Amino acid sequence: MEGSAFSQWRMDLLNQVRGNSILEVGVGTGLNLQYYQKAGFVDKEIICIDISHGMLQFAERRMKDTHINIKLHLMDLQNMDFPDSYFDTVIGTCVLCSVSDHLKGLREISRVLRPEGRLLLIEHVLSYRPILSSMMKRTGPIIARLTGENIHRETVKDIRAAGFKVLEEKDLYLDIVKMINAVPDIRGD
Ligand SMILES: C[S@@+](CC[C@H](N)C(=O)[O-])C[C@H]1O[C@@H](n2cnc3c(N)ncnc32)[C@H](O)[C@@H]1O
């Protein structure tokens, strides 16, 4: 799913970052790293995690092309080794669809995020459109078995269930690729 549109979406996501401490979950091969540089995040603390050692090796190579201070860690986002309320912003692109228990992961993100922090995501999610949704529900389990990616998750609903308030849910491609901006729902509504 890479290309100029996706590059612009990654940049648009980073433009919504608040604060100085940033966590990127599921950094993969590090496709977002160049945008930290382009966004001029020289003074920020940026920590990126992934559950895959192989992915982190690719990310490490990409990191060397930037002049930004980025730390890479092998870590499961469902069980992170960070204190409570540590990060100002948590970022993820195309990650929650591949996490085995994404609700657990979202609750863990909520734990490490400051109460006034932000969760910024680009995710592909189950369509709200009846025909597309029923096709995705039928093919989703097969695709998940073959690729590990769950294209039929109701991620926006699950973000709310994990204790976030969704400020913006922007459709990027149909209504199945979305940019999501959420904050901890400290009032619980
Ligand atoms: C589809 S890739 C996306 C990578 C990158 N964010 C991007 O935009 O290109 C999903 C990534 O999430 C990672 N991942 C899956 N489950 C994870 C977990 N529980 N904790 C941390 N990373 C995880 C995978 O190893 C993979 O690198």
Side-chain angles (χ1 to χ4, degrees):
M1 260 211 292
E2 223 35 50
S4 60
F6 213 96
S7 305
Q8 189 58 52
W9 299 339
R10 290 180 191 276
M11 199 67 229
D12 291 348
L13 192 75
L14 289 198
N15 283 333
Q16 299 174 62
V17 163
R18 295 288 179 275
N20 279 319
S21 53
I22 301 167
L23 171 66
E24 180 174 341
V25 291
V27 64
T29 61
L31 287 173
N32 289 328
L33 302 187
Q34 59 179 304
Y35 302 101
Y36 292 120
Q37 164 112 353
K38 286 184 183 150
F41 287 177
V42 276
D43 296 326
K44 297 192 191 292
E45 177 190 24
I46 304 169
I47 299 178
C48 302
I49 66 164
D50 202 284
I51 202 169
S52 156
H53 181 62
M55 289 288 188
L56 286 175
Q57 282 182 322
F58 279 108
E60 196 162 359
R61 275 179 234 153
R62 284 214 163 94
M63 189 182 73
K64 287 182 181 142
D65 296 333
T66 73
H67 305 289
I68 303 279
N69 179 23
I70 298 168
K71 292 194 180 73
L72 299 173
H73 292 293
L74 185 64
M75 206 182 286
D76 182 348
L77 74 88
Q78 298 162 111
N79 185 18
M80 291 189 272
D81 194 16
F82 301 117
D84 295 356
S85 305
Y86 187 81
F87 294 99
D88 294 312
T89 298
V90 176
I91 289 173
T93 54
C94 308
V95 172
L96 291 178
C97 55
S98 63
V99 174
S100 48
D101 186 344
H102 65 301
L103 253 174
K104 186 176 178 198
L106 280 164
R107 291 198 187 101
E108 186 65 349
I109 289 171
S110 162
R111 181 186 70 74
V112 301
L113 198 56
R114 294 209 168 107
E116 66 280 16
R118 285 200 181 208
L119 172 61
L120 302 174
L121 299 169
I122 294 175
E123 287 293 334
H124 60 73
V125 303
L126 182 68
S127 175
Y128 295 132
R129 302 175 192 197
I131 294 173
L132 191 51
S133 163
S134 101
M135 279 165 55
M136 290 174 86
K137 278 183 187 160
R138 259 184 284 136
T139 55
I142 301 161
I143 293 171
R145 267 200 302 280
L146 294 174
T147 69
E149 296 209 6
N150 294 273
I151 60 157
H152 56 304
R153 282 184 171 164
E154 294 181 85
T155 307
V156 177
K157 191 171 132 194
D158 295 337
I159 289 169
R160 291 195 178 98
F164 288 92
K165 180 176 182 174
V166 176
L167 298 182
E168 190 180 21
E169 172 192 344
K170 182 177 175 189
D171 291 342
L172 300 178
Y173 177 70
L174 303 175
D175 67 342
I176 58 175
V177 181
K178 289 183 185 282
M179 190 177 303
I180 300 156
N181 184 333
V183 291
D185 189 358
I186 42 182
R187 290 174 307 158
D189 58 15

